[in-house]
Amino acid sequence: MTRYLIRAASLAAALTAWQLLTSLNVDLWLRFSQFPTVADVARAFGDRLGGHDYWTDLTDSLTRILTGFLLAAVLGVATGVLVARSRLAEDLLGPLVEVLRPIPAIALVPVAILLFPSNEQGIVFITCAAAFFPVLVSTRHAVRALAPVWEEAVRTMGGGRWRILGSVVLPGALPGIFGGLSVGIGVSWICVISAEMISGQYGVGYRTWQDYTVVDYPGVFVGMVTIGVLGWVTSTAVERVGRWLTRWLPRTEYVAGARVRRAPAPISSVPEPVREEEVRDGHLV
């Protein structure tokens, strides 16, 4: 409860500072007199919530981000595992990946316009491209970092390639994979909003840019707040799913100023019998 109170107080302090700087028209080095106040943004937010366009934009942006991100997650994990496990795949795909990876996804807008017949498909493509490379790179590094002894143990017990993939490679690489997914969802939001501003017809990014062109600054801040909340919700959802799928891992928590390591539950709660030799040796120590 104390942590939640501190977080709420931090947010309230930031909003209070924003309200004071804008209402007093403070112009030192930064021109806060050009900013709308918190009250102006709140009124604009209330007006938008009562309209139909806001919810249409919200639905369109969420549909685009989820479609592109899920495609990137599937393709990125599959390609990352393939490149990490196969030398032939690394030789064929590795150079292409390294050449395309530094290109910003938003720079692919002209390519999307030329390739796809509709803006909707182009925006999904840009969103997918933005998340694809972080997921691929994280998956590749996570798979290569696995200890070889696990795979050798499965082979010793008669396990084949698919058994190794399902019981060793994917479970062992899950923490790294979800690290890439967390990065990818944030990059996807940046690119989908930018793509909506450039070539979209609906969506939060499109509406925010339209508000800017008509000098509706409270509306611009409504779009910014909406983007921030949506990004936080989706990133938290990815993190929660990752923690649930890797719940067998030991966790480290900070409780009352002390770091506490929480280990997974033991397989059996019945203690092993203590041998007489161990008791005697312990007594001598």
Side-chain angles (χ1 to χ4, degrees), residues 203-279:
V204 179
Y206 169 80
R207 193 68 56 188
T208 303
W209 182 254
Q210 291 300 310
D211 290 333
Y212 173 75
T213 57
V214 298
V215 200
D216 183 8
Y217 293 126
V220 172
F221 277 84
V222 169
M224 293 170 60
V225 172
T226 303
I227 295 166
V229 172
L230 291 176
W232 171 70
V233 170
T234 51
S235 298
T236 303
V238 171
E239 181 181 356
R240 294 289 184 181
V241 172
R243 289 178 67 89
W244 180 75
L245 290 178
T246 60
R247 57 189 181 277
W248 43 270
L249 288 173
R251 303 293 183 187
T252 300
E253 295 182 350
Y254 290 86
V255 180
R259 189 168 67 178
V260 178
R261 180 173 178 141
R262 186 178 61 188
I267 298 176
S268 176
S269 59
V270 180
E272 296 182 357
V274 180
R275 292 180 297 179
E276 183 179 354
E277 294 82 2
E278 294 178 355
V279 175

Side-chain angles (χ1 to χ4, degrees), residues 100-110 125-131 133 187 191:
L100 295 177
R101 187 162 62 94
I103 301 176
I106 196 62
L108 299 177
V109 170
F125 165 73
I126 294 170
T127 306
C128 178
F133 291 104
V187 178
C191 291

Side-chain angles (χ1 to χ4, degrees), residues 6 12 37 46 54 56 70 88 121 148 152 178 216 247 252 255 257 280:
I6 293 174
T37 64
Y54 179 82
T56 301
L70 291 176
L88 179 60
Q121 296 173 355
E152 295 172 358
F178 273 94
D216 183 8
R247 57 189 181 277
T252 300
V255 180
R280 184 173 61 252

